[in-house]
Amino acid sequence: MPPRDKTPVPKTPTDLTITPRDRRFGRELAQKRWWLGGDPIGSAYHNALSITFPRGESFFVESVKAFREGASPKLAAEIRAFVTQEVMHSREHVSFNRRVTDAGYKIEHLEKVVADSLELTKNRPQILNLAVTMALEHYTAMMAHQMLKDPEAFAGADPELAAMWKWHAIEEIEHKGVAYDTWLHATRDWTRWKRWKVKTIMMLIVTKNFWTKRWEGTLDLLAQDGIIGWRAKMRLAWYLVGNPGPLRRLTVAWIAYFIPGFHPWNHDDRPLIGKYDSDYAAANMAQPALAA
């Protein structure tokens, strides 16, 4: 039998601080239908993504909390900070999504798609839900990196909306290792082969479902603007793989997930956090409060 890897070592930086930033965005904003620089494709894509967050991030929280027993003090503190950040992300995307409906879009069907998907997880082993969370957290970290790296990512957007997406991106990078380290803790008695096999299969399933549903959700919103048929599909395909190409730009980081020895913090992109974080310093919550 393959040797069991009973003490997998997390690669999260020892000096990492996960700091929830309690911000509220756009409460008084009259959000335009095409809020992202007047671009219907980019606006619909981000709207479709945002619609998944409130329920999705609640799922992430429960999946991680299910395995916090016996965690090291460092990981336990990171889980608490992760939960606090995700709860605030959900709150802000509820507000954002409400303004999407105020702009005239019907999103009930897209919300039901998310709810129905999560309903299927209720009778599934919790460890598989954690594997799904780990894969999706890698997706959010990859997208967050691109949002912060690309100075044109939110060009033409209202500053409040650009700030919200960047704030979310900062915290996704900051806690990108929490679900993975929780997975290492939860599967500490597994062989390396079993750990790699399960996370690989779940990432492939997650990838298929993620892009299929984002594609369908974006087309649904575009149809509400009268953008339909092959032209809508061609424009969306170009947006995803051409310019700005969020799907294309994720390819290398996505492949890295399958390489033995992968860890989210193999690539330390905290400089991107520092680049944008100074504007939020005054809103940072005090870290001692997390232990309460």
Side-chain angles (χ1 to χ4, degrees), residues 23-27 29 99 157-165:
R23 294 288 310 274
R24 287 169 169 77
F25 301 90
R27 293 301 193 272
L29 183 67
R99 295 193 299 276
D158 185 283
E160 275 283 289
L161 301 182
M164 185 205 75
W165 284 94

Side-chain angles (χ1 to χ4, degrees), residues 8-40:
V9 179
K11 300 179 183 178
T12 298
T14 57
D15 61 342
L16 174 70
T17 301
I18 300 175
T19 309
R21 301 150 180 83
D22 193 1
R23 294 288 310 274
R24 287 169 169 77
F25 301 90
R27 293 301 193 272
E28 306 302 323
L29 183 67
Q31 193 163 308
K32 299 176 182 177
R33 286 176 75 87
W34 299 349
W35 58 268
L36 186 51
D39 176 19

Side-chain angles (χ1 to χ4, degrees), residues 53-69:
F53 283 139
R55 286 188 173 90
E57 294 192 320
S58 294
F59 171 77
F60 297 167
V61 164
E62 295 307 314
S63 298
V64 170
K65 284 171 61 178
F67 293 97
R68 60 187 170 180
E69 184 176 348

Side-chain angles (χ1 to χ4, degrees), residues 50-264:
S50 179
I51 289 165
T52 71
F53 283 139
R55 286 188 173 90
E57 294 192 320
S58 294
F59 171 77
F60 297 167
V61 164
E62 295 307 314
S63 298
V64 170
K65 284 171 61 178
F67 293 97
R68 60 187 170 180
E69 184 176 348
S72 69
K74 181 178 186 296
L75 179 56
E78 290 172 348
I79 290 173
R80 290 195 295 271
F82 166 84
V83 169
T84 304
Q85 287 184 333
E86 295 289 50
V87 167
M88 291 190 293
H89 298 171
S90 295
R91 181 194 68 201
E92 291 312 298
H93 282 280
V94 166
S95 176
F96 180 92
N97 296 343
R98 187 177 298 120
R99 295 193 299 276
V100 171
T101 62
D102 290 344
Y105 291 104
K106 297 183 184 301
I107 67 172
E108 293 85 357
H109 170 67
L110 300 184
E111 290 177 324
K112 186 175 185 301
V113 169
V114 178
D116 289 347
S117 295
L118 294 177
E119 189 67 25
L120 298 175
T121 71
K122 288 189 174 179
N123 296 319
R124 191 166 62 190
Q126 281 284 1
I127 194 65
L128 296 184
N129 290 341
L130 180 59
V132 169
T133 294
M134 182 173 62
L136 287 169
E137 279 290 299
H138 187 52
Y139 261 106
T140 57
M142 291 189 294
M143 292 187 290
H145 180 95
Q146 291 301 330
M147 288 177 183
L148 296 182
K149 183 179 179 181
D150 182 4
E152 299 299 315
F154 296 100
D158 185 283
E160 275 283 289
L161 301 182
M164 185 205 75
W165 284 94
K166 290 177 181 179
W167 161 82
H168 190 168
I170 286 168
E171 297 197 344
E172 288 298 331
I173 289 176
E174 201 170 65
H175 71 227
K176 68 179 181 176
V178 174
Y180 203 94
D181 288 345
T182 303
W183 163 262
L184 293 179
H185 165 66
T187 62
R188 60 195 179 276
D189 291 327
W190 289 17
T191 63
R192 295 181 182 182
W193 162 247
K194 181 178 179 181
R195 191 182 298 121
W196 181 85
K197 180 177 67 174
V198 172
K199 80 162 194 172
T200 294
I201 291 171
M202 293 311 297
M203 173 56 93
L204 293 173
I205 294 171
V206 163
T207 294
K208 176 182 180 295
N209 291 339
F210 179 86
W211 289 111
T212 298
K213 289 181 168 59
R214 297 304 78 71
W215 174 268
E216 293 171 349
T218 303
L219 290 177
D220 183 295
L221 294 170
L222 289 172
Q224 296 183 45
D225 283 321
I227 303 173
I228 58 175
W230 68 268
R231 288 184 176 84
K233 294 177 182 178
M234 289 294 291
R235 291 175 69 181
L236 178 54
W238 177 248
Y239 181 90
L240 292 175
V241 300
N243 185 27
L247 175 55
R248 169 178 53 81
R249 292 183 178 190
L250 299 182
T251 302
V252 173
W254 181 79
I255 291 172
Y257 190 85
F258 302 95
I259 298 173
F262 167 82
H263 188 278

